[in-house]
Amino acid sequence: MKKNAKVFYSENIVEQITEFETSFELKPLERGLANTIGNALRRTVLSAIPSCAVFAVKIAGVKHEFAVLDDVIEDVVTILNNLKKVRFFYEPSFFEKNQIHKASFSGQKAGQIFAGDIQSHSGLKIVNPDLYIADISRIGALQFEIFITSGKGFSDFETNKKYVNEVIQTLESNLEGTVLAVDSDFSPVLNANYQSIEINSASPIIEEKLNFWIKTDGSILAKDVLAQGAKILIAHLNLLANVENLNKFSEDFFENQQIKEEPVRRFSNSIDALNLSVRSLNALRRAQYYKISDIENLSQEDFENIKNLGRKSVQEIIEKLQNYKHDYKGEN
């Protein structure tokens, strides 16, 4: 009788394995599959698992990253390097529409400042509250805001700087200063490794087991990382599953991409392009609508349900949106 592979959770108290650091066993597997699955899964979880991270910082009174603050031991470069390491528990529903969230330190404390002293304005939970930020000798000497977004992999300073320039108008701030971009390491996986072990070498039918170990930064559970990694691999392999229609699928895919390329780029523009009144523009931004693509399919009832949007504002938005679509069709 053929055996079906099953997943086993291996918890070793000596190694102090927690819900963020867990080893998994998959057995029995046919010979060679443990390495095949383990290698693909490891690469996937290290590079393709989404999370959230700090991408920009605003420090009161600071115009560039090489500034020095009075009554603060660390310079701005050091503070930025510390702040970009603040990690938040990733809740996908918080970032469904590419929302940007803010957390801040109001300066009402002197001495050593840690990540736990930062206040989140949207309910995001800091997972490394003991992270050291700075040492200040006077209350009010340091005030800052950090801006968080979702992503995957690594986003360098230059990429984030361009992103800051794109969204600068949507970043609500109570401080005077310049928004400074920082590197973002979105990957929540600190380490992932695997081992292939023969489990019945004396038998003519050699089977294997896969031991897979995952350690995260605390922003996501290890078992969720494993599940997401497997789903990503399955989604890609499903493209190859129906080989009879593979050529047709490829042709249709690239044809659709060419047809949709321009509209996607056009409607990804900011809602500023609609030339709305300040009242309408602010109401949409407070409701987390920043791009034309976010509102192009909303009904009149949807607009009326947006807080602080009156009947005239709703009518204005609908008319401006229709004119925008009409102008676009005219260009094509």
Side-chain angles (χ1 to χ4, degrees):
M1 181 180 293
K2 186 176 180 180
K3 299 178 182 178
N4 293 321
K6 296 181 180 179
V7 177
F8 297 86
Y9 297 86
S10 174
E11 296 189 358
N12 189 330
I13 303 301
V14 176
E15 295 180 0
Q16 296 182 339
I17 293 179
T18 68
E19 56 188 356
F20 302 112
E21 183 178 358
T22 310
S23 62
F24 306 88
E25 286 185 1
L26 180 61
K27 65 180 182 181
L29 296 171
E30 293 185 11
R31 190 175 190 179
L33 281 181
N35 273 319
T36 301
I37 297 173
N39 186 48
L41 194 56
R42 179 178 181 272
R43 287 176 174 269
T44 302
V45 300
L46 285 174
S47 62
I49 304 300
S51 186
C52 59
V54 177
F55 74 93
V57 177
K58 190 174 188 180
I59 302 175
V62 171
K63 295 183 178 180
H64 55 81
E65 59 266 34
F66 302 109
V68 177
L69 294 170
D70 294 334
D71 301 313
V72 180
I73 293 179
E74 288 77 13
D75 57 20
V76 171
V77 171
T78 302
I79 295 173
L80 292 176
N81 283 331
N82 291 339
L83 287 175
K84 71 182 183 182
K85 298 174 185 176
V86 178
R87 304 297 293 181
F88 296 85
F89 193 83
Y90 180 58
E91 179 57 54
S93 61
F94 281 32
F95 298 93
E96 285 182 348
K97 297 180 180 179
N98 297 322
Q99 290 102 321
I100 295 173
H101 295 281
K102 182 178 74 171
S104 64
F105 174 68
S106 61
Q108 300 303 310
K109 179 184 176 182
Q112 292 187 339
I113 307 301
F114 298 91
D117 297 313
I118 299 173
Q119 180 183 3
S120 172
H121 298 269
S122 56
L124 289 176
K125 179 183 177 182
I126 295 175
V127 300
N128 54 346
D130 296 330
L131 176 70
Y132 175 79
I133 304 298
D135 194 343
I136 60 180
S137 59
R138 175 177 57 84
I139 291 178
L142 176 64
Q143 300 178 58
F144 59 78
E145 296 170 337
I146 57 178
F147 299 94
I148 306 104
T149 189
S150 60
K152 59 184 179 181
F154 181 82
S155 181
D156 60 27
F157 166 79
E158 291 298 334
T159 301
N160 282 348
K161 187 176 181 180
K162 293 178 182 178
Y163 182 55
V164 168
N165 292 333
E166 291 176 4
V167 301
I168 189 67
Q169 299 298 328
T170 67
L171 300 180
E172 297 183 0
S173 174
N174 300 318
L175 302 178
E176 293 292 332
T178 301
V179 178
L180 305 173
V182 295
D183 299 331
S184 299
D185 185 3
F186 291 103
S187 177
V189 181
L190 298 179
N191 206 343
N193 218 331
Y194 70 94
Q195 185 180 20
S196 171
I197 302 174
E198 290 186 2
I199 56 177
N200 54 353
S201 56
S203 171
I205 302 176
I206 298 178
E207 294 177 328
E208 298 176 338
K209 72 174 179 179
L210 170 65
N211 286 351
F212 201 90
W213 177 70
I214 297 173
K215 181 180 180 180
T216 75
D217 60 6
S219 63
I220 185 173
L221 302 181
K223 65 178 182 179
D224 291 339
V225 168
L226 182 71
Q228 288 187 38
K231 289 177 181 178
I232 292 170
L233 286 176
I234 291 170
H236 284 78
L237 292 174
N238 273 339
L239 298 177
L240 306 175
N242 192 352
V243 292
E244 294 180 356
N245 296 325
L246 188 59
N247 290 334
K248 183 178 184 303
F249 170 81
S250 299
E251 293 173 1
D252 292 343
F253 176 79
F254 289 111
E255 183 178 349
N256 289 336
Q257 286 296 100
Q258 292 175 355
I259 293 174
K260 296 180 179 179
E261 182 179 2
E262 180 61 28
V264 169
R265 186 166 61 248
R266 172 77 178 196
F267 286 95
S268 64
N269 287 343
S270 168
I271 55 176
D272 291 337
L274 296 177
N275 296 319
L276 298 170
S277 64
V278 175
R279 181 183 182 87
S280 300
L281 203 58
N282 288 338
L284 289 175
R285 285 173 176 168
R286 291 192 189 98
Q288 306 293 327
Y289 295 110
Y290 303 121
K291 297 181 180 180
I292 294 176
S293 58
D294 294 336
I295 64 172
E296 63 171 322
N297 294 320
L298 295 183
S299 65
Q300 181 171 340
E301 183 179 355
D302 292 331
F303 284 119
E304 290 174 349
N305 289 331
I306 296 176
K307 189 176 180 180
N308 296 327
L309 269 188
R311 186 174 299 176
K312 290 184 178 180
S313 296
V314 170
Q315 194 62 36
E316 177 198 18
I317 294 172
I318 293 175
E319 289 178 0
K320 291 289 182 68
L321 193 56
Q322 288 175 344
N323 291 339
Y324 188 87
K325 292 179 179 179
H326 177 75
D327 292 343
Y328 170 68
K329 290 180 180 179
E331 294 173 6
N332 291 272

